[in-house]
Amino acid sequence: MENDKTYSATAAQAALDSVTATRARVAGRVKSPWWYHAGLGASVALAFTSIDVGGSMMPSGLIVGAVLAPPALAWAAARSRGVAIANPLNTPGARGLYGFYLLLLGVLAAVGLVLQIGFDLHGSMSVAGVLAFVLTATVSRRADDALTQDVRAGV
């Protein structure tokens, strides 16, 4: 059975232009608000500093900072911009950044814990938490920029 419709080059170009325009609109909305990056950094810093504080703060700080806050922030950011990205790690630009980020975050945690537990330097996890805040906010912004470029390019 043959296709009865015939398409012209003009109609095909119009369809491609429509796809490009839609991609540009979505790329403009995919960028996270400033408070998302700051909140994500603060949640990671909370997880680090709760280890330094100890006591009953440690498990609750870890749960809130590492488990509850990141998805809550992602949900709030998606609601505010009207676009939800199912898995931003699937984009090539963000994947490498997050791999490097997790490696550096692990090194920060290990150094902080060794200084805290091994050398009894109080406050080392808080310093690591401040560094984790800066690292998280910076990587989150850069990954957001990479995601925007990937969406605009249709990757």
Side-chain angles (χ1 to χ4, degrees), residues 48-49 51-54 111-128:
F48 273 69
T49 56
I51 295 170
D52 205 14
V53 173
V111 168
L113 285 172
V114 165
L115 292 174
Q116 176 96 11
I117 296 168
F119 293 100
D120 201 27
L121 288 175
H122 298 291
S124 60
M125 283 304 288
S126 293
V127 171

Side-chain angles (χ1 to χ4, degrees), residues 21-155:
T22 301
R23 252 192 225 132
R25 276 195 312 273
V26 170
R29 296 183 74 181
V30 91
K31 194 130 177 97
S32 297
W34 68 269
W35 51 263
Y36 172 75
H37 308 293
L40 202 56
S43 70
V44 172
L46 174 66
F48 273 69
T49 56
S50 68
I51 295 170
D52 205 14
V53 173
S56 64
M57 178 64 177
M58 188 169 77
S60 58
L62 284 170
I63 291 169
V64 170
V67 177
L68 298 177
L73 285 166
W75 175 81
R79 295 262 313 169
S80 74
R81 64 187 178 207
V83 174
I85 304 300
N87 194 355
L89 296 179
N90 282 342
T91 61
R95 191 177 306 123
L97 282 171
Y98 280 119
F100 186 62
Y101 163 73
L102 290 175
L103 178 69
L104 287 178
L105 198 64
V107 167
L108 267 176
V111 168
L113 285 172
V114 165
L115 292 174
Q116 176 96 11
I117 296 168
F119 293 100
D120 201 27
L121 288 175
H122 298 291
S124 60
M125 283 304 288
S126 293
V127 171
V130 170
L131 294 173
F133 172 85
V134 172
L135 176 67
T136 301
T138 302
V139 169
S140 177
R141 280 199 72 99
R142 291 197 180 189
D144 208 28
D145 292 342
L147 176 65
T148 301
Q149 289 174 357
D150 288 346
V151 168
R152 189 169 280 123
V155 176

